[in-house]
Amino acid sequence: MSLVIIGGSSAQALAFKVAKELNAPFIDCEYKKFPDGEKYIRVEEDVEGKKVALVQSMYLTPDEYLLEYFLLVDNLKDMGAREIIGVIPYFAYARQDARFKPGEALSLKTIVSLIEKTGTDKVFTVDMHLHRVENVNRLFKIPAKNLTAIPLLGEYVKKEFILHDTLVIGPDEEAEQWAKTMAETLGTEYDILEKKRLSATEVEIAPRELDVKTRDLVIVDDIISTGGTLAKTIEVLKKKGAKKIVATCTHPVLVENALKRIYKAGGDAVIGTDTIPSPVSYVSVAPLIAEALRKL
């Protein structure tokens, strides 16, 4: 394969794992900042005529990583790279895909446009936080594919946990796609939490169909940010008689003492991937990305 791998400063380890999976060359880059905060970037090897997979995740400081991505792509094109494949495991600004209030910026549209205009030829994302858009190809004019890490998370759960009468839970309707995939991997049932209005002032959160009493649960979602919603979900499920609860996600953002909040609520374990480096990034998406690149 005439492919080389480059990792942005947010995804050096992940990019190196991808290169190792593919037995492809990994090209180092120099990253530093000038005293005024400006970025300095230097690609340390020749890329003329080569196909480059650029791995850059955009978490916690997305503006900085986005600018670095744009500088890298433009520089690689200027250096003669034949094709640039943008591998963006955690894609920033995906939640603002519509204008909810007058005057709001359509952030996702802007970011997609900039990724295309700087010279990216193809894009891979991982469990992109899509709401009103069913297919990532509806966002991009260039070829794009949204990969899912849920089967990898499911395989990890099967290997590392002894669960009884397992039930997969999606915290809301948007998570049903991931809950279904996780259930298929684990060979079990899944259900979705819904809000049931009991009165004009009282709302109950409960599974849509199945009873959780005495069952071990695997909660699955794409992102865990502050852990507030997940903690409330765990509290509700524990009150309904759930036993062991394992929370899984692709993107462990985990800010504002999220892990403490989840464990305090009764969660037994939290499992994430390395789209974002974290204390719970036990599952690597490198094999997933490598396989997608191999198919090219």
Side-chain angles (χ1 to χ4, degrees), residues 210-278:
L210 302 175
D211 190 355
V212 302
K213 191 173 182 180
T214 73
R215 302 187 74 169
D216 289 338
L217 307 183
V218 176
I219 301 175
V220 60
D221 210 348
D222 60 335
I223 299 172
I224 299 176
S225 295
T226 65
T229 300
L230 178 56
K232 289 178 183 176
T233 298
I234 291 170
E235 289 172 358
V236 166
L237 295 171
K238 283 287 188 181
K239 286 178 182 177
K240 292 186 177 296
K243 295 297 184 181
K244 187 179 291 184
I245 297 181
V246 177
T248 65
C249 71
T250 300
H251 309 297
V253 177
L254 302 178
V255 295
E256 300 176 16
N257 288 314
L259 285 176
K260 177 185 175 183
R261 190 175 287 118
I262 294 163
Y263 291 134
K264 194 173 180 181
D268 293 279
V270 181
I271 310 299
T273 81
D274 57 354
T275 62
I276 300 175
S278 80

Side-chain angles (χ1 to χ4, degrees), residues 62-239:
D63 298 355
E64 179 176 346
Y65 293 142
L66 276 165
L67 178 59
E68 183 178 289
Y69 178 87
F70 300 145
L71 291 172
L72 276 166
V73 172
D74 193 49
N75 187 36
L76 289 166
K77 281 287 186 178
D78 199 46
M79 292 175 67
R82 178 163 57 91
E83 183 179 15
I84 296 175
I85 305 159
V87 180
I88 308 174
Y90 180 73
F91 197 103
Y93 290 103
R95 59 174 52 83
Q96 192 70 37
D97 61 354
R99 188 170 283 124
F100 307 104
K101 297 178 183 178
E104 285 185 339
L106 294 174
S107 308
L108 179 57
K109 179 183 175 183
T110 302
I111 298 304
V112 166
S113 177
L114 288 169
I115 286 171
E116 292 171 339
K117 289 176 180 176
T118 46
T120 307
D121 296 290
K122 294 184 178 74
V123 169
F124 287 115
T125 60
V126 180
D127 287 321
M128 190 172 170
H129 196 62
L130 301 172
H131 288 291
R132 286 147 290 274
V133 181
E134 292 182 5
N135 193 314
V136 71
N137 281 297
R138 293 180 60 187
L139 296 172
F140 287 92
K141 295 174 185 175
I142 58 176
K145 186 170 184 179
N146 187 36
L147 311 172
T148 181
I150 302 304
L152 292 175
L153 287 165
E155 291 298 334
Y156 183 88
V157 170
K158 277 202 297 188
K159 181 182 176 183
E160 298 294 331
F161 295 90
I162 298 173
L163 302 176
H164 301 283
D165 196 14
T166 310
L167 176 64
V168 175
I169 294 288
D172 51 36
E173 287 186 1
E174 289 177 349
E176 183 166 5
Q177 57 181 311
W178 297 300
K180 183 179 180 182
T181 301
M182 177 67 78
E184 289 171 353
T185 304
L186 297 179
T188 188
E189 299 175 299
Y190 78 90
D191 206 351
I192 303 300
L193 295 187
E194 290 183 337
K195 290 181 180 179
K196 300 180 179 179
R197 184 161 292 282
L198 304 179
S199 67
T201 58
E202 191 177 2
V203 175
E204 180 189 41
I205 299 175
R208 185 171 58 192
E209 298 175 354
L210 302 175
D211 190 355
V212 302
K213 191 173 182 180
T214 73
R215 302 187 74 169
D216 289 338
L217 307 183
V218 176
I219 301 175
V220 60
D221 210 348
D222 60 335
I223 299 172
I224 299 176
S225 295
T226 65
T229 300
L230 178 56
K232 289 178 183 176
T233 298
I234 291 170
E235 289 172 358
V236 166
L237 295 171
K238 283 287 188 181
K239 286 178 182 177

